[in-house]
Amino acid sequence: MQAHSVINDFVIRFANVNGTGSASANNMFAKAIFRMGIPVSPKNIFPSNIQGLPTWYEVRVNEQFYLGRRDGIDLMICVNPQSMLQDVASVKSGGYFIYDNTKPLHKEYIREDLNYIGIPLTEITIQEYTDPRQRMLFKNIIYVGALAALIDIEMDVLQQLVNEQFKGKEKLIQPNHHALDLGYQYIQKNFSHPLPYRLQRRDLIKDKILFEGNAATALGAIYGGATVAAWYPITPSTSVVDAFADYAAEYRVDPETNENNYAIVQAEDELSAMGMVIGAMWNGARAFTATSGPGVSLMQEFLGLAYFAEIPAVLVDVQRTGPSTGMPTRTQQSDILIAAHASHGDTKQVLLIPNSPKECFDFAAMSFDLAEQLQTPVIILSDLDLGMNDHVSDALEWKSTTQYRRGKVLSADQLDQIGRFGRYLDTDGDGIPYRTIPGTHPTKGSFFTRGSSRDEYAIYTEDGNAYKRNMDRLLKKWETIKSYVPKPELLQSEANANMGMLFFGTSHFSSVEARDILAKEGIELDAIRLRSFPFSQEVSDFIEDHELIFVIEQNRDAQMRTLLINELEVNPEKLVRVLNYDGMPITAAHISKEISNYIHKTNKKSKDFSLEMNAS
Amino acid sequence: MQAHSVINDFVIRFANVNGTGSASANNMFAKAIFRMGIPVSPKNIFPSNIQGLPTWYEVRVNEQFYLGRRDGIDLMICVNPQSMLQDVASVKSGGYFIYDNTKPLHKEYIREDLNYIGIPLTEITIQEYTDPRQRMLFKNIIYVGALAALIDIEMDVLQQLVNEQFKGKEKLIQPNHHALDLGYQYIQKNFSHPLPYRLQRRDLIKDKILFEGNAATALGAIYGGATVAAWYPITPSTSVVDAFADYAAEYRVDPETNENNYAIVQAEDELSAMGMVIGAMWNGARAFTATSGPGVSLMQEFLGLAYFAEIPAVLVDVQRTGPSTGMPTRTQQSDILIAAHASHGDTKQVLLIPNSPKECFDFAAMSFDLAEQLQTPVIILSDLDLGMNDHVSDALEWKSTTQYRRGKVLSADQLDQIGRFGRYLDTDGDGIPYRTIPGTHPTKGSFFTRGSSRDEYAIYTEDGNAYKRNMDRLLKKWETIKSYVPKPELLQSEANANMGMLFFGTSHFSSVEARDILAKEGIELDAIRLRSFPFSQEVSDFIEDHELIFVIEQNRDAQMRTLLINELEVNPEKLVRVLNYDGMPITAAHISKEISNYIHKTNKKSKDFSLEMNAS
Amino acid sequence: MSYIKPSFRHPELPVNTLGYKRKDYEGSLSTLCAGCGHDSISGALIQACFELNIEPHRLAKLSGIGCSSKTPTYFLGNSHGFNSVHGRMPSVATGANLANRDLIYLGVSGDGDTASIGMGQFVHLIRRNLNITYIVMNNGCYGLTKGQDSATADKGSKSKAGSTNLFQNIDLPGLAMELGAGFVARSFSGDKVQLIPLIKAALAHPGFALIDVISPCVTFNNNVGSTKSYDYVRQHVDATATVDFVPHAAEIKTTYEAGSNKLVSMHDGSLIKLNKLQADWDPTNRDSAVHALHEANSKGEILTGLIYINEESQDLHQLLNTSKKPLNTLSEKQLCPGPEALMDINQGLR
Amino acid sequence: MSYIKPSFRHPELPVNTLGYKRKDYEGSLSTLCAGCGHDSISGALIQACFELNIEPHRLAKLSGIGCSSKTPTYFLGNSHGFNSVHGRMPSVATGANLANRDLIYLGVSGDGDTASIGMGQFVHLIRRNLNITYIVMNNGCYGLTKGQDSATADKGSKSKAGSTNLFQNIDLPGLAMELGAGFVARSFSGDKVQLIPLIKAALAHPGFALIDVISPCVTFNNNVGSTKSYDYVRQHVDATATVDFVPHAAEIKTTYEAGSNKLVSMHDGSLIKLNKLQADWDPTNRDSAVHALHEANSKGEILTGLIYINEESQDLHQLLNTSKKPLNTLSEKQLCPGPEALMDINQGLR
Ligand SMILES: Cc1ncc(C[n+]2csc(CCOP(=O)(O)OP(=O)(O)O)c2C)c(N)n1
Ligand SMILES: Cc1ncc(C[n+]2csc(CCOP(=O)(O)OP(=O)(O)O)c2C)c(N)n1
Ligand code: SF4
Ligand code: SF4
Ligand SMILES: [Mg+2]
Ligand SMILES: [Mg+2]
């Protein structure tokens, strides 16, 4: 057994079978830790399958708020014989392997360097329950009860969670309490406990929340005034629309008429979903769709139309591991290029990249303002890790004074006042023209929207000069966009480092942790977290101000680095790739190792690095 | 009138009405010049419309083989009152405006600096013909006859062309000869001629041919052994499949059985067309599709599948002006990014970029070898200018010893000899695995093709390591590909220049001409013409060896420059954009002006440039 | 160029009850080929909207890509138009309609645009019963890309280039019937007397209304051997009934008698009056309509007129129970749950 | 995990005329939910191929994406398989078939894969009459994405989550009939006695053959209120006839008598024997078949069995007059016109 106890800093993994109801027990486990005021970060690792295959739930507890994934399991709760060999192997030396010892463990599962804790889960359930379904379900609660004893989860927090979960189905409360107790008592009786890996109440959570990115995105769309959602089911984006439907049912049904102040349409495919969004926003409603990689591929033609015809649209891309069907239930940040340059011809698309449920909410709400103000598609690049896992996040905020910004939309009165309306005329010098919504005025402001070339008055033309004027105006608009999109977040080191790290989205936590690890090794790095494309001035400044920048991405081809180099005209030498693309969320260990290796290999020191650069 | 005569160096433009049968007369005009041994370059400038709108045919005659487009019209044949104002304006000062003077010319069409030649075309046709259709058609032949007199086209060459055109419809020959004569005689009688802009027989053409890129591509597909063509109509790619159908009907019908050794399917859309190609090549036939930008957008998902599942496929993208519907009858090189990184996730696709009908033929034939050897899609990036216009080209060649290279395909015998077959196993270290064709062996070699992750034996897996191994192998294959694809063409200057120009596809002629213009200004440039992506060693060497490179492209966003910077890790400062994107083919004047301006603006001299670079 | 507008107009041109003249329903000059069937359909649309007293800006025109899809530029110049991408107009129209249920939606498509690349969207548009009048300008070929056979080209029909179409045609009204469309009609661009009242009835129908209009392509598919040529269609037309559309049923009802007449009352109080030419066909009976269609098809005849109408049609908004107020008019107050609700939500996530 | 294969097998297992055992037609272990209808269909496919003496490597399995589309991994392990992209299997199958007309093609799809995202390709596959057996494992929902309604879900049917489907269903056999398919059948995953001979007949049919197999999703759509649940289907099944497939007609013909029996002879000499349960239905008459379908639909019954067969069916290769030798076997000599022809071509371009 491990000599010293480790408080609030470990990784625990549950090995379950898909479709056996383990999810809610596991969620309860994580939530209890959260309620104890301790930062926690659960991740579902599930197969592209409905029932019967191995599925894991991995929870990192870390009171320093290092909430990225960490390799190496300290405690393993294994209730799936299928994956046991792999599960035994994944535990760190000195870690704990907690298993169902109803049948004795085969010797191939025995590692000398692990601690084994057997709980006769099956036996207990057979004794306690007759219904096979109950046996299956309560097994999960029992191991949570056992864990309460083993790692000091406060029992009343668990009980309270049970009470809340079964509000309205009160007769289920007592049996669940009982199941918790069964596990708890078994450990009480049979083991010395708690284990060295254990919890201790803290007050670190404050007013934070535990929330899934996709639900936060959906709520952002509700707050942002989306009325039309058109979609086609695809993992891991489906829960965005599911949550939107739930929130809409709660907040968007007119209490008097009982009518829906929203419409959700399950389209026949992603092309159609995108077409519906474009049609709705052309017609003045706020609309969005959510999809993942394959859907983004299918939406290319429509995204090009929206770029060129300047129609607002909001697309949430919850990225998964590509290319093609790839690994549909694993994460990646690999749709950057196809999103940024969606469609044939010269196009540039606006990207927002949240790193937390709070930002999912903010960016989703903001995306409708941006799309309407900028008259172009806005693509929110989330990912499976952010979208489908719970994350500790700052509480959501909304100012009562917030007003939707609809951008340059002309009213009937305005149409009466101005001279000839030019749909694609840049009257303000910012590259953004005025638009009208169908039905506004009996005789003024109508125009023809098309994906083919036209002049400033939306009249079809094949005149090369008119075409070029329009394409150039779109570039001017692109410049304008840079001041509209969210600025990056900067983390300045005290020492004014000459090297920096750049990351975005879900690489956030692991990057921050890696930065601290490196600092302890004597490598000081400034850091910048991108939040949008195009890049604002701060991004070029950061790159300018540092001699070497580690670009951290979760894809193979360093796609963001490509955008940085091309949009900002950076010398590629300056940008060092730090990549992870095996479908699992990136870890701090990986990042810090890569950076530290690079620095040692190239013999760079953070202090005299600038000298060497010049000499090289 | 212009003082000196200009032999074999001028631009003549015909302004016609769409759908009035001017095309064949105009073609005859260009062909006659070609037959006179003089390099000629005709371009159709046509509307996205079937009948009644202005359409132009612009012919550059240049005995130095400068066959790119040149701005400024020396002679204008205007038979379309609709566009007359614009047509008058487009003639160079001192040029000739040839028009139908059946009705007197309104004074708004009169420019002091032009020479006007009126021919009463309508009057003549009314006198000569009663049928309105004949009047419309012969009007075109009459102005060709007039031109014969005006610029010294050899009449017997024209007559011979008529004879050939109406082979089989002999009774049309005499009336056409007569129409030619009507025009010729009218000039004889009424004008002093020939004009200063005129032709003189040369022997410059040798065994060259006058051919359209799309037809050459189709013929390449025939020679390359394509048996399945699946497509969906779209300008400017339609004529690829039309020509394939014609050649197939001629060369691919079994003389004994009268059965077709090919199948052409007009698909319901581009997604389907690409799916058919993938299915056919998966099953061991050679197949291709042809499309343009919107089709490429629609094919993204399938292209990602083919990349990831490693299925050969050939796609001909005849680029037009994007984005979206853009200008469907104008040219551009703007599908580079979407082609090179087709589909979501990390993908890299092979591109071949021909510059002439000869290369269209060669690359089309070669593309099937490459696709099968490399087991990946091969995309031929042609464009409207190359595809739909006639070009003087080297004659086509085919060695009788040529054998199709089918790549690593295992036969039943081989399967019997090897151990366990691993579809995605890299046994040779080049990243390219072996494949089998369905039906090969009763019990060995079958495997499951899928777009989802799998191990070396094609077994489905969600193991991150297996996924990563596969993605890394694909990168290794990418390295291998670099040695398979066509190498660039190099044009070394004598002076060993420190600056270079880089271009590809249809920018070829204008770039070469611009290089000569610049040389005359004292600016010596080496040059490289890319022919493929990924870039082979020669491309990096060229960039390495020069301090500044002008990258000439026909798109707004410098898409090839993006690929160069990212694939070769070039400092963007080194690559200067020279862009044209108004839908018209790029001109030498534009290129040379941009380059010369840049050099003067930045005060670079080709001689001491390297010094300045270091100092900056 | 299909027609040149007369520059002179009679000062006392008729006006409709809105005070609009027919020219207020026109668009810009057509650039289609002279004689193209599509231009006649544009003319019929202009006339129908004029006579129906539609406010032009309350109608939205949507189309895909093709000669046919270009036509919305040539009529109703005061309506917003959207020439989207090839085959995908139905989804754009669906989004538009969801955003504002108060406008009138007119979808214009071609046989290529609908029956090939657009087939999936067409089918699902019908399934959702979007309130739209969907006009297919059906010439059996791809006009804009120069005459390839489309999926509505009849098997065995000959193209101008001389090749014979190998595949069985897709019969759009038949397909729409099978998919449960609530308003199915076919007409001929050359028969305005039939087409105009059909357009009016379709616009009044509160759900998806298909009019498959055979519209010869004079340039690529008006040859002998083509079953979509003017001559062929004229020879093989077989109408279900003569059609009359009466906007305000009450005023007129009495003047018609029973017998071979069939009156169909629409939800908005208008009336379709049919003078039946076909004995055993009933436009409100799906089986009978399907039967009539198949019967005509098997005899090589082209059944035109109103084929089927379901007066009970429930459109997408009704199915979804969307607010009667157009979604695009809802205010921030109606849409945003506000800070207090968010505090509760936060609380629920702790 | 749907079933665990018994590790012990009887040594004297039956072999077919090729000497193959049933297990030679199996695939890898299914990962579908226990009780999923799709697994039963896999079993029927295995049995049908075994009994038909198909050489496994002469059959190619193609599918889209979905639980249903996963099944080709679970049968015929010695056949090449292609799990393509969602809804686009028809095009991949078309290409494959064009490349080699000598293999047997089996397309496996789901109702989401076919009736939503795949609708366009499905329609055009039928139109081209590709020689393929197309099986839709129809559970009225999207299994793999967790139970959303599909376009074949009946209007009013209730999902497990409790919501009611608002839209009318697409009836795939009805649609296929309208589009002129030459072989249309429906069956039920729980009825192997009916399904196996239907699969055999479909494989023998020389063109497009649809079998719409209702295949309950036990996890997401087997609840009360669902019209695709085991219980509902069992209660509402209504078969056209009992089906028997006889590979070699000659051997058998005499043993059957006329009367309620209907014999359909196939091109390859095989025979379908139908014992009619429906009086006024004739599987070789399209109108009668359509009528029977609509009739059953309107009564809320699920008509199963062979619905329609057209023995005159001409597949895509026949229509295109493609070489009898598979295109993928043609040699360079047959394909490449060679240098001399090229010299002529060059000459023609001077
Ligand atoms: C994605 C895409 N593919 C192909 C085209 C080329 N295209 C333009 S119009 C058209 C066919 C139009 O046929 P139809 O809808 O029947 O219209 P028509 O011209 O006959 O009226 C095609 C294939 C396109 N614009 N977009
Ligand atoms: C382009 C694309 N969109 C969405 C998905 C997600 N997806 C996978 S399977 C499926 C539906 C499958 O339904 P069905 O075909 O009925 O198969 P079932 O699982 O019910 O057997 C969807 C939407 C995908 N894989 N690709
Ligand atoms: S090509 Fe045909 S469809 Fe197009 S405008 Fe001309 S006649 Fe009409
Ligand atoms: S989810 Fe439904 S369709 Fe999928 S395997 Fe399970 S039971 Fe079958
Ligand atoms: Mg058409
Ligand atoms: Mg399904």
Side-chain angles (χ1 to χ4, degrees), chain A residues 232-235 270 294-295 298 320 325, chain B residues 301, chain D residues 38 65-69 86 109-114 117 137 139 141-145 150:
Chain A
Y232 190 71
I234 187 167
T235 308
E270 289 87 347
L298 290 172
R320 64 190 210 184
T325 305
Chain B
E301 191 190 21
Chain D
H38 301 353
I65 301 280
C67 294
S68 34
S69 292
H86 194 28
S109 181
D111 43 325
D113 200 62
T114 289
I117 192 168
M137 301 186 171
N139 53 17
C141 76
Y142 287 19
L144 193 55
T145 52
S150 80

Side-chain angles (χ1 to χ4, degrees), chain B residues 308-336:
Chain B
F308 191 59
E310 297 177 74
I311 305 166
V314 172
L315 159 62
V316 181
D317 175 12
V318 188
Q319 297 166 98
R320 65 190 210 184
T321 304
S324 196
T325 305
M327 293 197 291
T329 58
R330 297 288 182 270
T331 198
Q332 214 168 53
Q333 302 176 312
S334 59
D335 296 346
I336 298 169

Side-chain angles (χ1 to χ4, degrees), chain A residues 322 467 472 561 566 569 581, chain B residues 322 467 472 561 566 569 581:
Chain A
Y467 166 84
D472 289 341
R561 181 175 176 270
N566 285 293
E569 302 278 319
Y581 51 96
Chain B
Y467 166 83
D472 290 340
R561 181 175 175 271
N566 285 294
E569 303 277 319
Y581 51 96

